[in-house]
Amino acid sequence: MRTADGGELAGASPAAGRVDGGLPMGSERMEMRKRQMPAAQDAPGAAPGQPGAGSRGSNACCFCWCCCCSCSCLTVRNQEDQRPTIASHELRADLPTWEESPAPTLEEVNAWAQSFDKLMVTPAGRNAFREFLRTEFSEENMLFWMACEELKKEANKNIIEEKARIIYEDYISILSPKEVSLDSRVREVINRNMVEPSQHIFDDAQLQIYTLMHRDSYPRFMNSAVYKDLLQSLSEKSVEA
């Protein structure tokens, strides 16, 4: 090695850029690569005419070295992964979150005070009760009950399985923010039956939530501003008529 003024540094050797075998370091790397390439191409199990594991030809698939390639298998997998998501989104949209109903009459609203069953039998009653549950942050109880009613109407096995999975994820799973309150026995039965769900898989859970709303929320609803304001409004309209 020479200095800026043309001299040589002490200790510099012409063999400094070589390895013990006498080959330059760059040449040794080339030699190692040549030795590795045949081994990769001749790997056991490689079919004739197909590139080895180290090849990155146009047919590279699951064994390609980089993750930025556009393998056909990855495209197919991505499409398959998206299909259930799209189907689940459409089926989730089919589950009722609000019911169309005419405005309740004074007679209907008075009947709601007679029993919880008379409240729940009409869409207008369910909507009014759900509005109240929202103020108590327990709207998920009504949503779960309605989803179960919708599931019972299904006859297609595939749709039943997908809707059951959606209902489970939304209202049964302990990871869901909308989890409803169920006892351990009911949860265990549901977990076992989720292997092959039917349209009645949530019947016990639905009854338990119905009973909870009846005993806990319904009495407070009858004393709430939601019910009293509606009753007063309809009474005034009846007098004016």
Side-chain angles (χ1 to χ4, degrees):
M1 183 178 299
R2 296 181 179 274
T3 60
D5 58 0
E8 292 188 357
L9 290 175
S13 171
R18 300 174 180 271
V19 294
D20 293 341
L23 292 174
M25 296 178 66
S27 299
E28 186 192 45
R29 293 194 184 99
M30 292 291 293
E31 187 67 24
M32 291 177 65
R33 288 181 182 176
K34 289 179 181 179
R35 292 175 184 171
Q36 291 172 353
M37 289 178 63
Q41 293 174 351
D42 298 335
Q50 290 183 344
S55 174
R56 293 176 60 186
S58 59
N59 292 328
C61 185
C62 298
F63 300 102
C64 54
W65 285 5
C66 72
C67 60
C68 58
C69 64
S70 56
C71 298
S72 59
C73 73
L74 295 180
T75 303
V76 172
R77 286 178 184 176
N78 288 337
Q79 290 174 350
E80 291 177 349
D81 290 342
Q82 289 174 1
R83 286 172 191 166
T85 303
I86 295 173
S88 297
H89 176 74
E90 292 174 351
L91 290 175
R92 183 174 270 106
D94 289 341
L95 295 176
T97 56
W98 188 260
E99 297 178 276
E100 295 291 336
S101 68
T105 64
L106 178 60
E107 183 180 359
E108 286 178 327
V109 175
N110 279 322
W112 297 349
Q114 297 174 12
S115 71
F116 184 60
D117 292 340
K118 290 186 177 181
L119 169 69
M120 292 289 286
V121 78
T122 64
R126 292 192 293 269
N127 285 338
F129 187 53
R130 181 188 163 193
E131 182 181 348
F132 166 74
L133 292 177
R134 189 183 294 119
T135 66
E136 293 201 332
F137 304 100
S138 58
E139 182 186 14
E140 65 274 3
N141 289 333
M142 177 62 78
L143 293 177
F144 171 68
W145 187 89
M146 292 168 62
C148 292
E149 288 294 294
E150 190 68 21
L151 179 64
K152 292 176 184 178
K153 301 175 185 177
E154 292 294 344
N156 184 289
K157 184 176 183 294
N158 292 331
I159 295 180
I160 289 173
E161 290 180 353
E162 188 62 21
K163 283 191 173 183
R165 183 185 63 80
I166 292 172
I167 293 172
Y168 185 94
E169 291 178 354
D170 286 352
Y171 303 109
I172 308 299
S173 172
I174 61 175
L175 301 177
S176 174
K178 297 185 293 183
E179 177 196 4
V180 296
S181 179
L182 299 172
D183 63 39
S184 59
R185 179 191 63 82
V186 171
R187 286 184 180 277
E188 289 174 3
V189 172
I190 291 174
N191 288 335
R192 288 198 302 268
N193 293 336
M194 278 299 293
V195 177
E196 192 173 351
S198 72
Q199 63 266 52
H200 297 289
I201 183 173
F202 300 113
D203 281 5
D204 287 346
Q206 185 187 24
L207 177 60
Q208 196 168 100
I209 294 303
Y210 187 91
T211 303
L212 176 66
M213 291 190 295
H214 182 192
R215 294 177 179 176
D216 187 59
S217 302
Y218 173 64
R220 291 198 298 273
F221 169 72
M222 298 311 303
N223 293 316
S224 70
V226 173
Y227 177 75
K228 290 181 177 180
D229 290 349
L230 178 59
L231 183 62
Q232 182 179 353
S233 174
L234 292 173
S235 298
E236 291 174 354
K237 290 180 180 178
S238 177
V239 171
E240 293 174 357

